[in-house]
Amino acid sequence: MWRMRGRELMGAGVPTLGLGLGWRPELALLIERHRDLGFVEVLAEDFDASGSLPAPIERLRDRGVTVIPHGVTLSLGGAEPLDRTWLKALGRLATRLGAPVVSEHIAFVRAGGVEAGHLLPLPRTRAMLDLLVANVCLAQDALPVPLALENVATLVEWPHAEMDEASFIAEVLERTGALLLLDIANVHANARNHGWDPLAYLDRLPLDRLAYVHVAGGVEREGLYHDTHAHPIAPPVLDLLEELAVRTALPGVLLERDDKFPPDAAVASELNSIRSAVLRGDDRRKQGVA
């Protein structure tokens, strides 16, 4: 069975995490009952790094489930200075959780003091790349564990790009030594919305830097695919997950669900679909079948 195996390390020094589910209060009971989960991810902004942890999180830690803080407000691609107070709190939270890694997004969320409330895409220019690298390095210096960077879904792209998305991400990882949190649903969304080949994208990423993988549901509206985290996983996303597992052994894969929470049986079915896609890809990789 594909699941967590203690603290075994992958090539980039990342522990083998196995199958995961994003922790939300609405899913807490399901997560507690689902004994095949190797890790969960918590929204870092929902936790007080100086306060006590919720009892369900403490119980998960007691039984050996890895807990990873996932940030959404650091704004690594913003022109404004990083919030050093929040960085310190994020580091304290990672330490309290015993987390092997902290994750954040390749995005910006504020400008001119205005909060967007969304993960906004970055213009893929050399100037933006230099700014992002500088901010990632500052964050890494402040955190007690490695930082993993996540690709985001975009409905529009900035004009005058100087490189494609895969090249942009690869260079950020190369220049910073950061890890990659690859959201395979976002790969599908961007390939579908912007007309590029998702398999060629995977082949150009430094998959040896992979920390773990996100999978989520979405829906197509008026010709655009929306990454909603509130709908079932689209079959092409599971196909891409299998293709990713053909290319490299996956440290862990986590299902995100943030709204319209379905019955527990439906969530369990999606977790089984994820597991099956990974196992199919593993088998093809081991047999040398492309």
Side-chain angles (χ1 to χ4, degrees):
M1 179 179 293
W2 183 72
R3 59 182 299 173
M4 174 181 173
R5 297 188 298 276
R7 285 296 203 188
E8 178 184 349
L9 297 183
M10 302 294 286
V14 177
T16 302
L17 299 167
L19 187 64
L21 182 59
W23 192 88
R24 304 292 182 269
E26 296 86 349
L27 298 173
L29 184 58
L30 167 65
I31 290 172
E32 189 160 331
R33 290 173 173 172
H34 203 300
R35 295 289 163 162
D36 284 343
L37 293 177
F39 75 118
V40 298
E41 185 186 72
V42 297
L43 289 176
E45 287 78 4
D46 289 347
F47 288 78
D48 179 359
S50 301
S52 59
L53 296 174
I57 297 296
E58 290 286 19
R59 287 195 294 271
L60 289 172
R61 294 183 67 237
D62 288 344
R63 81 175 204 226
V65 175
T66 300
V67 183
I68 295 174
H70 182 59
V72 296
T73 62
L74 193 51
S75 200
L76 288 168
E80 299 174 353
L82 298 184
D83 185 337
R84 300 298 185 99
T85 300
W86 169 237
L87 265 176
K88 290 179 180 178
L90 187 57
R92 289 197 304 271
L93 179 61
T95 299
R96 293 199 63 213
L97 292 171
V101 66
V102 167
S103 55
E104 249 287 0
H105 299 82
I106 299 174
F108 74 102
V109 300
R110 71 183 64 87
V114 177
E115 297 285 339
H118 295 280
L119 296 165
L120 300 174
L122 304 181
R124 295 193 299 271
T125 63
R126 285 286 162 190
M128 183 71 255
L129 183 64
D130 290 342
L131 173 65
L132 177 61
V133 166
N135 282 341
V136 169
C137 289
L138 285 173
Q140 288 173 311
D141 288 344
L143 294 171
V145 295
L147 175 65
L149 303 177
E150 180 182 359
N151 57 304
V152 300
T154 63
L155 295 175
V156 297
E157 292 196 307
W158 291 85
H160 313 303
E162 296 173 6
M163 64 199 82
D164 61 29
E165 184 178 311
S167 299
F168 188 84
I169 292 174
E171 188 158 344
V172 171
L173 300 180
E174 172 66 26
R175 289 175 58 180
T176 63
L179 299 175
L180 173 63
L181 164 50
L182 182 62
D183 191 313
I184 203 71
N186 290 351
V187 174
H188 168 70
N190 293 351
R192 173 69 182 82
N193 292 340
H194 306 307
W196 41 258
D197 181 356
L199 297 183
Y201 176 98
L202 294 182
D203 288 336
R204 297 180 59 197
L205 291 176
L207 297 179
D208 61 321
R209 304 299 305 165
L210 194 61
Y212 60 104
V213 178
H214 273 176
V215 179
V219 65
E220 190 161 327
R221 300 191 187 104
E222 300 180 356
L224 288 175
Y225 185 84
H226 296 259
D227 173 52
T228 64
H229 295 195
H231 293 83
I233 303 170
V237 173
L238 291 172
D239 292 341
L240 269 181
L241 180 62
E242 178 180 341
E243 292 296 336
L244 178 62
V246 171
R247 286 157 173 77
T248 189
L250 306 184
V253 183
L254 181 133
L255 172 63
E256 294 183 292
R257 187 80 182 209
D258 294 329
D259 200 1
K260 297 182 180 178
F261 296 97
D264 289 358
V267 177
S269 177
E270 289 204 308
L271 289 169
N272 287 334
S273 295
I274 289 170
R275 188 200 316 272
S276 296
V278 173
L279 290 175
R280 288 194 302 271
D282 283 344
D283 289 343
R284 289 172 55 194
R285 185 184 70 256
K286 292 170 184 175
Q287 295 170 13
V289 179

